[in-house]
Amino acid sequence: MITTMKLAVVSFFFLATLLATSQGISHQIHLLKPHSGAAGHHVPGVSCLSWRLAVETNNIRGWDLVPEACENYVGHYMLGHQYRKDCNAVAYAAYQYAKSLSLPKDGKNVWVFDIDETALSNLPYYAQPENAFGYLNINLCFFFFSEHYD
Amino acid sequence: MINVYLFLIIATSRSLFINFRAKEYNDTSFEEWEKKGAAPAVPAVLFLYKKLVSLGFKIVFISGKTATLRAITEKNLKNVGYLTWEKLILK
């Protein structure tokens, strides 16, 4: 019965979104506690997007492990398009910032890059079955990083 | 007088990764991976790097990797497109 009700609620949201879209209403419904991960899989118990947001904004600190229920979610995020898009957004903002600076053109301006998970990615290592999300096809991440940025 | 801009990107993702399944995180196997020097570039960061070089910035790389990995790290960086830098600072 509960399952049926949930389904009904989900269908309602879907229908509402569909109606809203078809009528050209621009506002979106943002769920506070999404029930799916980046790849649309059900994530029980924990709202992983909320957890990730809190970590990235440094509101949750000193944690040791990704919550067990969010391991799949994090795996999907790191191997999926959203992580790539997030990286692009930050890099583009940094580029705009660099361009906006009025610096003397004396060759004495230095930009410092971190290496691990910044200039270089260890994603292929972490994607190995024995290290993390082995249920995903490892070729995904090679595909992910072999594309050129343009 | 040198103008230095410290720029750390995607630090959260790194901490996500390092803590991801920390139970299974294995220093030895990570070292083996590092010794391969086979890490791909993060495309967005390589893009930013190229733009900064063309804007006239000198590049410094900083890493918690040990100094014994210097040669392989340099090779890895060059292989994926980071062709020039001013300094590579290791632990």
Side-chain angles (χ1 to χ4, degrees):
Chain A
M1 183 60 191
I2 291 170
T3 314
T4 317
M5 280 178 69
K6 271 187 183 169
L7 274 176
V9 171
V10 170
S11 306
F12 172 74
F13 269 115
F14 177 69
L15 193 65
T17 311
L18 205 67
L19 285 172
T21 311
S22 64
Q23 289 170 11
I25 299 169
S26 62
H27 65 81
Q28 291 179 311
I29 297 167
H30 295 285
L31 295 175
L32 288 176
K33 298 189 80 175
H35 293 284
S36 63
H41 295 279
H42 180 66
V43 180
V46 183
S47 168
C48 299
L49 179 57
S50 301
W51 179 81
R52 179 163 72 84
L53 177 66
V55 167
E56 291 189 354
T57 50
N58 213 15
N59 287 318
I60 294 178
R61 303 178 193 196
W63 52 279
D64 293 322
L65 289 168
V66 171
E68 202 175 337
C70 294
E71 288 187 358
N72 288 0
Y73 170 84
V74 173
H76 276 100
Y77 169 68
M78 298 306 296
L79 292 180
H81 289 288
Q82 193 59 50
Y83 174 55
R84 185 192 173 95
K85 286 176 180 170
D86 290 349
C87 292
N88 289 351
V90 174
Y92 186 70
Y95 173 49
Q96 294 298 346
Y97 169 72
K99 269 201 307 187
S100 75
L101 298 169
S102 318
L103 298 171
K105 296 192 184 301
D106 54 7
K108 289 182 178 175
N109 302 310
V110 176
W111 196 287
V112 181
F113 280 97
D114 190 10
I115 293 184
D116 284 310
E117 265 52 71
T118 301
L120 298 178
S121 168
N122 294 308
L123 192 51
Y125 169 80
Y126 290 106
Q128 284 166 16
E130 63 270 32
N131 296 317
F133 29 92
Y135 61 93
L136 288 172
N137 184 346
I138 192 167
N139 286 331
L140 269 177
C141 64
F142 289 111
F143 167 74
F144 180 85
F145 281 111
S146 63
E147 286 179 50
H148 290 287
Y149 184 93
D150 37 39
Chain B
M1 175 69 181
I2 297 180
N3 307 309
V4 175
Y5 291 87
L6 185 65
F7 177 59
L8 296 175
I9 183 176
I10 326 172
T12 306
S13 298
R14 181 172 62 158
S15 59
L16 272 182
F17 254 157
I18 287 174
N19 292 288
F20 193 79
R21 287 237 182 147
K23 281 168 284 189
E24 284 92 358
Y25 182 76
N26 183 329
D27 271 346
T28 316
S29 74
F30 189 71
E31 274 174 34
E32 291 305 310
W33 157 255
E34 282 185 305
K35 283 178 189 166
K36 287 183 191 168
V42 174
V45 179
L46 183 57
F47 161 85
L48 176 63
Y49 162 89
K50 287 177 177 169
K51 294 288 186 187
L52 292 171
V53 169
S54 67
L55 285 175
F57 280 93
K58 294 274 167 57
I59 304 296
V60 168
F61 287 113
I62 191 164
S63 171
K65 290 179 192 291
T66 56
T68 53
L69 291 166
R70 175 171 295 277
I72 194 71
T73 303
E74 287 177 347
K75 197 174 164 207
N76 196 159
L77 285 167
K78 284 189 176 167
N79 281 346
V80 298
Y82 299 99
L83 301 178
T84 137
W85 56 84
E86 195 71 7
K87 209 167 177 138
L88 169 61
I89 302 169
L90 301 175
K91 204 155 72 176

